C-alpha cells in the first residue's frame, strides 16, 4: 500500500512540474529581478542585485463567476515587451516631464483572467485584469508580501477601516506585526544596507482601497480590504458609518483592469523624494479641456480660527472677515481664499448663512484677482451634487474642498470619481480632505489638486503630532503617493519646551525656517497658508518668501536625504531655483553642492535658522549673496530646523 501511494504522489508531482511555468523579468538597469511562477496558484518573488528581498508570495483574485471553473490559473499565453516614453504632467507636482521606462510581462489565464507585471528601475507593480462579457463580483483578492528577513517598517497603524488615514508612523520590526494588526498604505520597509521598499497602490477605481495586515505566517503583509457596504447609518452631518457589509469586495464590469499593487524599491533614500511610480501607473487624463486648471496658494481660515485682529469689525464667519482675507491674498499675490466650515447650513449645501454674501465676496475677489474655494461635507455635496456644482460654478467659485469621507470601500471610491468627473464638467478644482491617500486620481482628473490623508498641521490645534521628526518621515512615505494637504505656514513657532496645543492661536513645532521649508519640501498644487493673515502681515521677510514660492514645479532634484532625519531638495520653476532643507530634532551642518545649476551667476536670497533659534524658534537670518554652480553653500540648522533659498539668474 505504501509503494502505491508513493507512486501516485510521484506521478502527481511530475505532472505539476511539467504544468508549472516560470518567468523572469529584469528592470531596465538589471538591478531588480522579478520572478513569477504559475502552478495552481500564482507566486512572485523579488530580488535586488541578486539578493532576495521579497520571498515567493501568493497572489490571487477570486471572481464569483469563476466558482465552477477548473484550472482558473491555467496559463493560456504570455508576452514580454519594453516601454520607453516621456509623459507630461498637466499639473506638475514634481516635474513637468516624467520619464516612463519599464519592462512588462502580460499573462492570460483560462478563467478569463489576466495579470500584468511591470518592472521599473525603482520598483515593481502588478495588476489583475478580467475579460468577462457581463458584470462580475470580486469575492476576495489575495495580496501577500513576504520578506526575506525581519526588517523594520514605518507602520501607520489603524484601529478601524473607518478612518481619515492621518496616522503617525510606528517604526517596528515586521515580527512584531501580528495578523490582527493592520495599517493604511503607503508603508515603508527598511531593509538591509539602506534598501527601502515602499508599498502602496495606484489607479484605484471602482474597487476598495488596500490596507496591510500582518502575515499569518512568515514576515510581511497580507492585503486587507473593506467589503462592500450593505447598509449605512448617518450619525451626524458628516459621518455615515457602515453597519452591515456584503460578502464581497466589489461588483464591477467584467472587462477591466484592477488597481496596481505598487512596490517601490530604492537603495538611496533621496530617490523616494523623486518617485513618480504611483502617478505613472494611474490612468491618463480624461479631461478634454485643462486650460482652466490653475494651481496656487490659498489663504485658509479654519486653522487660525478666523482670529484676525487690528480691525474695526467682529471677526468670524462673515463677509467683512472674508474681505480681509481677500485683501491679504491680493496684497501677497495668493491665488485663492477658502471659505471653510460655517458658510452654509450643514444640513443643506444650498442654504448659505445670512452672515455670508457669497456673490459679493466672489465679485470682490475678482476685482482683487483672488478666487474663492468652498468647503463642503461630502454628504451634503452628495445630496445635491449637480445642483451645487452648477450653481456655485455659475456664481464664480473656482473649487470645492470636500471633507470627511473617512472610507475607501468601493462605494466611496466611486464617490471620488463622481466628484472629480462632475467638477471637471463645471470647471471646479477639488481638494479632498478627510480622505484616503492619493492613488493617481490627480493624473486621471487633474482638476483634483490635493488630498489630505496625512497627519498634518491641523493636529497642532489639539496635539503635538505634527512635530519635526514626523515631518521628516512624510516626504518618504505619504508624499510618495502624491500631493498632501498638510496645510503648513505657522508663524507662532515653538520648541518642545515652549509648545502647547491651542485652538484659537495654534502654534507650529520647529523653527521658522523649518516651517518655510515645508513650502519647498511638501507637495500640494493647492498649497495653504494656514496661519492668521494678521500674523503674516507682521512677518514681511517670511511673506517675501511665501508670496514667491510656487505650488508646482518644472523640475525636482533631491540633493541629499535620510528618512526621518533630513531632506535637502532643489526645485525649479522657470529659470528660478528654490532650495529647501528640513531637519529633525538634531542640529545639522551641510555643504550644499550647487553643481546642478546651469552656468552663470545667481542672486540668492536665503533664510536660515538664527543664532538663537534653539531658544526662540522664530529667530532667523535673511541675507542676499551672489552664487554660481562652482560654489558650495554652507547651511547649519538647529533642532527642528530648516533653510530656504531663492536663486534667480
Amino acid at each position: 500500500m505504501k509503494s502505491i501511494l508513493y507512486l501516485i504522489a510521484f506521478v502527481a508531482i511530475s505532472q505539476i512540474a511539467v504544468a508549472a511555468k516560470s518567468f523572469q523579468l529584469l528592470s531596465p538597469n538589471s538591478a531588480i529581478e522579478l520572478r513569477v511562477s504559475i502552478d495552481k496558484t500564482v507566486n512572485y518573488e523579488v530580488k535586488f542585485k541578486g539578493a532576495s528581498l521579497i520571498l515567493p508570495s501568493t497572489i490571487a483574485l477570486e471572481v464569483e463567476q469563476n466558482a465552477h471553473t477548473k484550472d482558473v490559473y491555467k496559463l493560456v499565453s504570455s508576452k514580454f515587451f519594453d516601454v520607453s516614453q516621456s509623459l507630461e504632467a498637466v499639473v506638475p507636482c514634481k516635474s513637468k516631464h516624467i520619464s516612463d521606462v519599464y519592462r512588462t510581462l502580460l499573462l492570460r489565464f483560462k478563467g478569463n483572467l489576466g495579470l500584468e507585471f511591470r518592472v521599473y528601475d525603482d520598483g515593481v507593480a502588478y495588476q489583475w485584469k478580467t475579460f468577462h462579457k457581463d458584470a462580475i463580483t470580486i469575492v476576495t483578492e489575495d495580496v501577500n508580501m513576504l520578506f526575506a528577513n525581519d526588517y523594520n517598517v514605518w507602520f501607520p497603524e489603524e484601529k478601524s477601516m473607518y478612518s481619515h488615514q492621518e496616522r503617525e508612523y510606528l517604526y517596528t520590526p515586521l515580527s512584531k506585526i501580528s495578523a490582527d494588526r493592520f495599517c493604511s498604505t503607503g508603508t515603508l520597509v527598511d531593509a538591509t544596507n539602506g534598501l527601502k521598499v515602499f508599498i502602496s497602490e495606484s489607479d484605484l477605481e471602482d474597487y476598495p482601497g488596500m490596507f496591510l495586515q500582518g502575515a499569518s505566517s512568515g514576515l510581511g503583509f497580507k492585503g486587507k480590504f473593506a467589503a462592500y457596504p450593505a447598509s449605512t447609518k448617518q450619525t451626524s452631518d458628516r459621518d455615515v458609518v457602515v453597519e452591515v457589509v456584503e460578502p464581497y469586495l466589489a461588483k464591477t464590469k467584467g472587462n477591466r483592469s484592477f488597481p496596481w499593487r505598487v512596490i517601490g524599491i530604492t537603495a538611496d533614500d533621496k530617490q523616494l523624494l523623486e518617485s513618480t511610480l504611483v502617478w505613472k501607473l494611474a490612468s491618463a487624463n480624461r479631461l478634454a479641456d485643462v486650460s482652466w486648471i490653475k494651481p496656487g496658494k490659498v489663504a485658509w481660515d479654519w486653522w487660525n480660527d478666523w482670529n484676525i485682529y487690528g480691525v474695526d469689525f467682529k471677526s468670524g464667519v462673515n463677509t467683512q472677515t472674508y474681505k480681509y482675507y481677500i485683501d491679504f491674498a491680493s496684497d501677497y499675490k495668493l491665488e485663492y481664499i477658502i471659505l471653510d466650515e460655517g458658510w452654509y447650513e450643514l444640513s443643506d449645501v444650498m442654504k448659505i448663512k445670512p452672515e455670508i454674501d457669497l456673490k459679493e465676496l466672489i465679485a470682490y475677489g475678482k476685482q482683487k484677482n483672488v478666487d474663492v474655494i468652498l468647503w463642503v461635507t461630502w454628504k451634503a455635496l452628495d445630496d445635491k451634487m449637480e445642483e451645487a456644482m452648477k450653481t456655485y460654478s455659475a456664481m464664480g467659485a473656482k473649487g470645492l474642498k470636500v471633507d470627511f469621507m473617512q472610507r475607501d470601500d468601493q462605494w466611496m471610491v466611486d464617490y471620488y470619481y463622481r466628484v472629480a468627473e462632475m467638477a471637471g464638467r463645471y470647471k471646479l478644482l477639488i481638494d479632498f480632505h478627510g480622505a484616503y491617500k492619493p492613488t493617481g486620481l490627480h493624473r486621471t482628473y487633474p482638476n483634483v489638486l490635493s488630498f489630505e490623508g496625512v497627519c498634518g498641521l491641523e493636529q497642532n490645534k489639539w496635539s503635538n503630532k505634527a512635530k519635526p521628526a514626523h515631518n521628516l518621515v512624510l516626504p518618504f512615505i505619504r508624499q510618495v503617493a502624491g500631493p498632501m494637504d498638510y496645510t503648513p505656514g505657522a508663524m507662532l513657532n515653538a520648541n518642545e519646551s515652549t509648545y502647547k496645543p491651542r485652538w484659537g492661536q495654534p502654534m507650529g513645532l520647529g523653527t521658522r525656517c523649518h516651517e518655510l521649508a515645508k513650502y519647498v519640501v511638501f507637495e500640494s498644487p493647492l498649497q495653504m497658508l494656514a496661519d492668521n493673515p494678521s500674523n503674516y502681515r507682521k512677518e514681511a521677510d517670511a511673506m517675501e518668501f511665501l508670496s514667491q514660492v510656487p505650488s508646482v514645479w518644472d523640475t525636482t532634484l533631491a540633493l541629499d536625504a535620510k528618512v526621518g532625519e533630513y531632506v535637502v531638495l532643489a526645485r525649479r520653476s522657470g529659470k528660478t531655483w528654490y532650495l529647501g532643507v528640513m531637519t529633525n530634532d538634531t542640529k545639522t551642518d551641510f555643504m550644499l553642492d550647487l553643481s546642478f545649476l546651469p552656468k552663470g551667476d545667481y542672486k540668492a536670497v536665503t533664510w536660515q535658522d538664527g543664532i538663537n533659534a534653539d531658544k526662540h524658534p522664530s529667530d532667523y537670518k535673511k541675507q542676499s549673496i551672489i552664487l554660481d554652480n562652482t560654489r558650495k553653500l554652507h547651511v547649519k540648522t538647529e533642532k527642528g530646523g530648516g533653510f530656504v533659498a531663492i536663486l534667480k539668474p
Side-chain angles (χ1 to χ4, degrees), residues 7-21 38-40:
L7 179 61
I8 292 172
F10 178 80
V11 171
I13 291 169
S14 299
Q15 289 174 340
I16 289 170
V18 170
K21 299 288 183 181
I38 301 157
D39 205 324
K40 291 185 178 180

Side-chain angles (χ1 to χ4, degrees), residues 153-157 168-170 172 177 181-183 212 221:
V153 58
W154 284 273
F155 190 69
E157 188 161 16
E168 296 175 276
Y169 294 87
L170 174 66
T172 185
I177 303 172
R181 297 177 68 185
F182 69 98
C183 71
L212 295 171
F221 299 113

Side-chain angles (χ1 to χ4, degrees), residues 297-325:
K297 298 190 291 289
V298 187
W300 187 32
D301 53 354
W302 181 87
W303 193 73
N304 56 77
D305 203 32
W306 301 267
N307 196 11
I308 60 175
Y309 51 89
V311 297
D312 57 3
F313 57 86
K314 194 71 172 176
S315 65
V317 182
N318 56 54
T319 300
Q320 286 179 300
T321 296
Y322 283 117
K323 282 187 174 182
Y324 182 93
Y325 279 81

Side-chain angles (χ1 to χ4, degrees), residues 146-166:
L146 300 177
F147 286 87
N149 291 295
D150 188 15
Y151 304 131
N152 287 326
V153 58
W154 284 273
F155 190 69
E157 188 161 16
E158 300 279 1
K159 300 300 181 185
S160 167
M161 285 191 285
Y162 186 70
S163 170
H164 290 285
Q165 299 191 13
E166 300 172 12

